[in-house]
Amino acid sequence: MSLAEPTAEVVAQAIDWRVRLASGLAPVEELEACVRWRRLHPSHEQAWQRLAVFDGRLGGMPPPQASQALRYRDRRTVLKGLALLLGGTALAGGTSLGLHGTPWLAEQRTATGERRRLALPDGGWLQMNSGTALDLAFDSQQRRVRLLAGEIMIQTGKQGAERPFWVDTPMGRLQALGTGFTVRLGEDSVLLAVEEGAVAVRPSAGQQTAAVVHAGEQARFDRQGVFAAQPLDRDALAWREGYLVVRQWPLARLCAELGRYRSGVLRCDPTVADLLISGVFPVGETDRALAALGHSLPVRARYLTRWWVTLEPA
């Protein structure tokens, strides 16, 4: 057994953290405390990551059973589930870049509310957020990702490092310089956030010289150029763990962000749109997140149907 192999006690602690953060009522400080716990020992992070994979497998269960399992009321069941994960995850992803150019025909897609992690042929990995579409090309000449919609996190691998690693977007091309970074497509711009190494940005039009964004920075760019780099907003990266971290957001902004993770329409009544909210919300259970808002604000979620919800005054 390796030093990083989690004990039953560590796994139980990881389960407790996920229960607390999945409640929809956790303050931001709870998430920060969880991050500190994960950094205390490699086995803590190992247990946390295995639970994240277990959460993903719950996506295929019927909603009532999945909801109950996500609360981890039966810890023995969870521990048995973790035992199945000791062998790691299977390699996923394509080996050729499709010429489709449209999200509907992409090689890899996630549905609304779905998040998925792919192993890459170079030994790295890629995580897809809700509503993401992409094509992959890994061969003797290149390592390439074409992002057509959504948001991804990439950790490049060391195998074939002599080949350039490209990420193509509708606004321009990125070149990874041995790194870990996140790319999110917007309607008229792309947000790049770099955690490790650096990334060169080449907009599709405008400036010819690539702009380099370094670790601990984020920058937005469009077809014409790259805007000034800003300090990295780590809260915005919490989606990879299944959470949305909110610090004094207008309710309308929270509504728009939660809407990325659920099918149908999620609206915010203008009379409550400017109310400020802070907290940690589970993106995998948006109904629970919406119900939790009533504990902090004088609002309620009114369901016309399951696919048409309005946040309005309580």
Side-chain angles (χ1 to χ4, degrees):
M1 180 177 292
S2 67
L3 292 177
E5 195 67 25
T7 64
E9 180 181 1
V10 168
V11 171
Q13 293 172 0
I15 292 171
D16 286 334
W17 276 115
R18 297 192 80 86
V19 170
R20 289 154 68 179
L21 292 177
S23 68
L25 299 174
V28 174
E29 290 74 19
E30 281 280 276
L31 181 61
E32 294 172 341
C34 177
V35 170
R36 290 194 294 271
W37 175 82
R38 290 167 57 187
R39 292 174 177 172
L40 282 177
H41 192 272
S43 66
H44 294 191
E45 181 66 18
Q46 182 108 326
W48 179 267
Q49 294 298 336
R50 288 179 180 175
L51 276 173
V53 176
F54 185 75
D55 282 356
R57 293 188 176 184
L58 295 176
M61 298 173 59
Q65 290 85 343
S67 179
Q68 181 177 5
L70 278 170
R71 294 181 177 86
Y72 299 113
R73 290 175 179 170
D74 185 351
R75 282 170 166 72
R76 291 186 179 181
T77 299
V78 174
L79 291 173
K80 291 179 181 178
L82 286 174
L84 300 176
L85 305 176
L86 294 176
T89 57
L91 178 68
T95 57
S96 62
L97 184 63
L99 299 177
H100 315 304
T102 171
W104 299 106
L105 298 176
E107 292 177 359
Q108 300 290 339
R109 291 174 293 170
T110 51
T112 300
E114 179 188 5
R115 291 172 293 111
R116 193 191 330 151
R117 180 160 164 160
L118 307 177
L120 298 176
D122 68 350
W125 52 266
L126 178 154
Q127 188 165 353
M128 304 168 66
N129 201 358
S130 170
T132 295
L134 57 86
D135 292 331
L136 297 174
F138 284 76
D139 53 37
S140 60
Q141 302 297 321
Q142 64 181 338
R143 297 176 293 167
R144 185 187 303 272
V145 177
R146 176 184 291 172
L147 182 59
L148 303 171
E151 183 174 18
I152 56 174
M153 161 65 184
I154 293 177
Q155 181 67 56
T156 59
K158 296 181 179 180
Q159 301 175 22
E162 71 282 356
R163 292 171 293 161
F165 194 115
W166 303 102
V167 177
D168 290 331
T169 78
M171 303 294 169
R173 170 177 286 187
L174 308 174
Q175 182 178 7
L177 306 177
T179 186
F181 61 102
T182 299
V183 185
R184 175 172 174 172
L185 294 190
E187 292 185 4
D188 53 11
S189 65
V190 178
L191 179 62
L192 166 68
V194 183
E195 293 185 84
E196 301 175 17
V199 177
V201 185
R202 293 179 172 83
S204 57
Q207 62 189 59
Q208 298 299 315
T209 303
V212 178
V213 181
H214 299 277
E217 297 180 338
Q218 64 182 42
R220 192 173 295 277
F221 67 95
D222 59 18
R223 292 183 176 86
Q224 302 302 318
V226 182
F227 300 97
Q230 304 291 330
L232 180 65
D233 178 10
R234 297 192 179 277
D235 288 349
L237 307 180
W239 64 266
R240 298 176 322 204
E241 309 292 351
Y243 304 108
L244 180 60
V245 178
V246 175
R247 300 178 193 261
Q248 291 295 288
W249 282 19
L251 187 59
R253 179 183 176 188
L254 174 60
C255 184
E257 195 67 16
L258 285 176
R260 298 177 62 205
Y261 298 93
R262 60 178 295 122
S263 299
V265 176
L266 177 59
R267 334 178 26 254
C268 185
D269 191 296
T271 59
V272 296
D274 294 331
L275 294 178
L276 299 180
I277 182 72
S278 296
V280 179
F281 300 90
V283 298
E285 292 187 281
T286 55
D287 285 322
R288 181 191 295 185
L290 294 174
L293 292 174
H295 296 277
S296 303
L297 296 175
V299 300
R300 67 167 186 166
R302 181 171 61 87
Y303 288 74
L304 183 61
T305 70
R306 171 67 180 83
W307 297 276
W308 190 287
V309 185
T310 301
L311 292 177
E312 62 183 17

